[in-house]
Amino acid sequence: MASDAKQTITSGRAVLGIEFGSTRIKAVLIDSEHRPIAQGSHTWENQLVDGLWTYSIDAIWSGLQDCYASLRQDVAEQYGVELEKLAAIGISAMMHGYMPFDKDGLLLVPFRTWRNTNTGRAAAELSDLFGFNIPLRWSIAHVYQAILDGEEHVNNIDYLTTLAGYVHWQLTGQRVLGIGDASGMMPVDTASKTYDIAMLEKFSRLTEEKGIPWNLKTILPKILLAGDNAGCLTPDGAKKLDTSGHLQPGIPLCPPEGDAGTGMAATNAVRPRTGNVSAGTSSFSMIVLEKALSKPYEAIDIVTTPDGSPVAMVHCNNCTSDLNAWVSVFKEYQELLGVPVDMDEIYSRLYNHAMTGDADCGGLVAYNFISGEPVAGLSDGRPLFLRSANDNFSLANLIRAHLYASVGVLKLGNDILFNSEHVAVDKITAHGGLFKTKGVGQRVLAAALNSPISVMATAGEGGAWGIAILAAYAINKGNPGASALQELPLFEVKSSLSLAEYLEEKVFAGSKGTEIKPTPEDVEGFNKWLDTYRRCLPVAEKAALCKQ
């Protein structure tokens, strides 16, 4: 196996996927069978600057370069070779947010991430104008809020993109974006696979009235579909990625995608009636729709798969951060006792012990709102733990309540889909940090959604693996299609499979994963807990007002 992987690397047949997550930048190198053969990573964290969550440009590039250097080191240690040639590269990142550039390519304001909730007025006005739900974190909400606030930089915008689109642009020179990520900037028409023309025109009339000198359609990235040709690594791009100078330019890149799209690819959930849940620092569920919803819902985003099918997305700003903080308290206690610390063991013991507690957590309720949570109607957040004198306050129930809280808001949004819209789903696959401890997060999510939950053996590989798969699909499909970059050389046509067919036949063939079905006791207990959770939400809202 090692010799095969070494040959794959030295012959330039390996494919690289890189994803910018909320707390980690991860690189995964895969072989022709889509198996991971090397990895690299870099830990980072967003900063609250002038009241807005951001990552600096320096942090983006130093993080990417350190991540790639970590991958090079892993390749060297495992196989004793240098990473010089690749078959393809894919770039992915957190969706949404705001990165406006002037005509010289300079970022006009610090990157505003998906986590910011300062766009309430803009999102509400645009949702009313479009008759379509515009979430707070979408790029269109950010740019319109900047217009409403009279920010000086607005008139100088020449290009608006996402983090994935920005990095891809710098590596290839191409101002393009995968349709999944683009659908989190501005609504798209899933029939034409372009930005919604009627909504673009409505926005243009709005900005003309306010004297804005640009037209929205001219500053947005070009939309590409999975399998399209998205450009090649330039000499400057190669130097930005690999500061050692070993990586050769000319490597093809697939369309850059958001973490939602890569999650769908990584869980084989791009066909209608399939879905996936990603649960880490934030969480989201994606259900691929058979038909449009009956009306817009503030809690539900309509985005697309990487090949342009409509998806109902429930996006939650908060998931495991508060849970992790509680686990760290027990780590600190263990260190105080002089006991050696193994974080994997601490998580495993606490999580599994939680499942011995009461199905309704004994009455204990937790809110994991590190930041605002639009699905719950909170513009700001403050983590909160509540109990009454007669509740069963035990360690198992304490941890179980925080596990429930990690998917509580996700449950609120999905109840709309399943109970109000009667959306049908045959299979939900989960991935992300919440599911690292075998069976526990999976069981909690199954109870919350009252649905069987599958976890693949590859679930831990995450979005970096997902974008690597999309990069492999691009060079295997080799058909740029009508929306691609016609001026570039075409890839060699190797396959006519659709993305769904490619995933099922080439990537996940024989991979069934592990499924957990909800038990009546767990479902009843979670719903009882959720009743208290709903009733006490006003307390969480009041608590957020106490933040300094």
Side-chain angles (χ1 to χ4, degrees):
M1 178 66 181
S3 61
D4 291 343
K6 180 177 179 178
Q7 177 60 27
T8 296
I9 294 169
T10 56
S11 64
R13 291 184 288 114
V15 173
L16 173 61
I18 298 174
E19 182 159 279
F20 290 76
S22 301
T23 58
R24 187 170 59 150
I25 305 171
K26 185 175 180 180
V28 171
L29 200 65
I30 65 173
D31 62 16
S32 59
E33 300 298 319
H34 309 94
R35 294 172 300 206
I37 54 177
Q39 298 187 15
S41 67
H42 169 83
T43 300
W44 70 341
E45 187 56 76
N46 55 189
Q47 303 295 321
L48 189 62
V49 179
D50 296 328
L52 294 171
W53 293 103
T54 187
Y55 299 86
S56 70
I57 289 290
D58 288 344
I60 291 169
W61 289 107
S62 63
L64 175 62
Q65 291 160 0
D66 184 61
C67 177
Y68 184 82
S70 172
L71 174 71
R72 282 184 59 237
Q73 182 178 354
D74 188 40
V75 168
E77 290 177 353
Q78 285 198 71
Y79 310 111
V81 297
E82 180 57 67
L83 198 56
E84 296 180 336
K85 297 180 292 183
L86 293 166
I89 299 174
I91 299 295
S92 175
M94 301 166 279
M95 288 180 70
H96 321 300
Y98 185 60
M99 296 193 81
F101 297 86
D102 67 14
K103 61 182 176 59
D104 297 318
L106 298 177
L107 185 63
L108 292 167
V109 294
F111 168 38
R112 297 173 184 176
T113 78
W114 56 270
R115 198 168 206 170
N116 292 294
T117 55
N118 63 307
T119 57
R121 180 185 168 192
E125 290 188 12
L126 291 177
S127 296
D128 183 60
L129 178 69
F130 295 158
F132 185 98
N133 178 46
I134 301 297
L136 300 181
R137 64 190 175 280
W138 279 24
S139 305
I140 189 68
H142 279 282
V143 70
Y144 188 53
Q145 188 66 52
I147 292 171
L148 293 175
D149 292 342
E151 295 193 40
E152 292 183 4
H153 77 272
V154 167
N155 286 342
N156 297 320
I157 297 176
D158 180 70
Y159 183 46
L160 178 63
T161 190
T162 65
L163 177 56
Y166 164 65
V167 174
H168 182 95
W169 170 37
Q170 296 300 300
L171 296 182
T172 66
Q174 302 296 330
R175 294 184 171 190
V176 299
L177 198 60
I179 191 169
D181 206 3
S183 68
M185 294 190 74
M186 172 75 190
V188 301
D189 180 348
T190 55
S192 65
K193 313 297 185 188
T194 60
Y195 299 111
D196 189 288
I197 297 299
M199 294 184 195
L200 281 175
E201 291 176 351
K202 288 181 179 180
F203 189 87
S204 294
R205 288 195 291 271
L206 198 63
T207 52
E208 284 174 9
E209 294 171 359
K210 297 181 180 298
I212 303 301
W214 42 259
N215 188 293
L216 184 61
K217 68 177 69 174
T218 66
I219 67 169
L220 289 172
K222 181 182 180 66
I223 289 181
L224 300 180
L225 305 181
D228 282 349
N229 184 350
C232 294
L233 186 67
T234 64
D236 284 344
K239 292 176 184 177
K240 286 184 176 181
L241 180 57
D242 179 15
T243 57
S244 74
H246 287 90
L247 188 63
Q248 298 177 10
I251 301 165
L253 273 76
C254 70
E257 266 297 350
D259 49 0
T262 59
M264 286 185 274
T267 55
N268 191 20
V270 299
R271 283 193 186 277
R273 297 175 65 102
T274 63
N276 80 89
V277 170
S278 173
T281 305
S282 62
S283 69
F284 50 80
S285 64
M286 313 286 291
I287 306 296
V288 187
L289 300 173
E290 294 180 285
K291 61 180 181 178
L293 301 184
S294 65
K295 62 180 181 178
Y297 293 92
E298 189 173 348
I300 298 171
D301 308 355
I302 300 299
V303 292
T304 79
T305 63
D307 56 351
S309 296
V311 174
M313 178 183 191
V314 177
H315 184 285
C316 309
N317 284 357
N318 303 276
C319 186
T320 60
S321 294
D322 189 44
L323 176 59
N324 293 340
W326 279 90
V327 173
S328 293
V329 169
F330 290 97
K331 167 182 174 288
E332 186 178 347
Y333 175 68
Q334 195 165 322
E335 290 173 332
L336 190 65
L337 295 178
V339 179
V341 172
D342 181 326
M343 287 305 295
D344 288 341
E345 183 180 6
I346 292 176
Y347 274 101
S348 178
R349 286 183 177 272
L350 287 175
Y351 279 24
N352 281 290
H353 183 59
M355 294 298 96
T356 68
D358 298 319
D360 66 349
C361 305
L364 311 184
V365 179
Y367 297 96
N368 62 342
F369 304 141
I370 298 289
S371 63
E373 190 55 79
V375 174
L378 275 71
S379 60
D380 205 347
R382 185 168 193 167
L384 193 65
F385 171 65
L386 301 175
R387 69 183 182 98
S388 64
N390 295 324
D391 289 339
N392 185 7
F393 187 28
S394 67
L395 176 61
N397 285 336
L398 173 70
I399 301 300
R400 189 163 184 151
H402 284 86
L403 282 164
Y404 279 18
S406 67
V407 298
V409 177
L410 198 68
K411 164 71 169 175
L412 298 179
N414 277 277
D415 274 356
I416 296 172
L417 292 177
F418 300 141
N419 299 337
S420 300
E421 289 288 333
H422 305 291
V423 169
V425 60
D426 297 326
K427 180 181 179 183
I428 298 177
T429 305
H431 69 127
L434 181 64
F435 310 104
K436 188 174 181 179
T437 298
K438 185 177 180 180
V440 177
Q442 199 175 350
R443 178 178 163 187
V444 168
L445 184 62
L449 300 186
N450 192 17
S451 173
I453 303 296
S454 296
V455 172
M456 299 285 193
T458 52
E461 306 299 342
W465 184 60
I467 192 66
I469 291 171
L470 291 174
Y473 175 63
I475 58 172
N476 277 281
K477 183 180 180 185
N479 182 6
S483 65
L485 307 170
Q486 299 295 351
E487 71 275 13
L488 294 174
L490 306 188
F491 301 142
E492 177 188 354
V493 177
K494 300 178 181 178
S495 172
S496 60
L497 296 177
S498 68
L499 178 60
E501 291 168 340
Y502 185 84
L503 292 175
E504 290 176 2
E505 297 179 22
K506 303 296 184 182
V507 181
F508 292 98
S511 300
K512 296 182 179 179
T514 302
E515 182 181 84
I516 287 182
K517 295 181 179 179
T519 66
E521 295 78 14
D522 280 351
V523 172
E524 181 182 358
F526 192 97
N527 286 335
K528 183 178 178 182
W529 175 87
L530 191 71
D531 286 341
T532 307
Y533 182 88
R534 289 180 189 272
R535 290 198 307 272
C536 294
L537 268 173
V539 179
E541 187 175 5
K542 292 287 187 182
L545 298 177
C546 298
K547 291 182 68 175
Q548 296 182 356

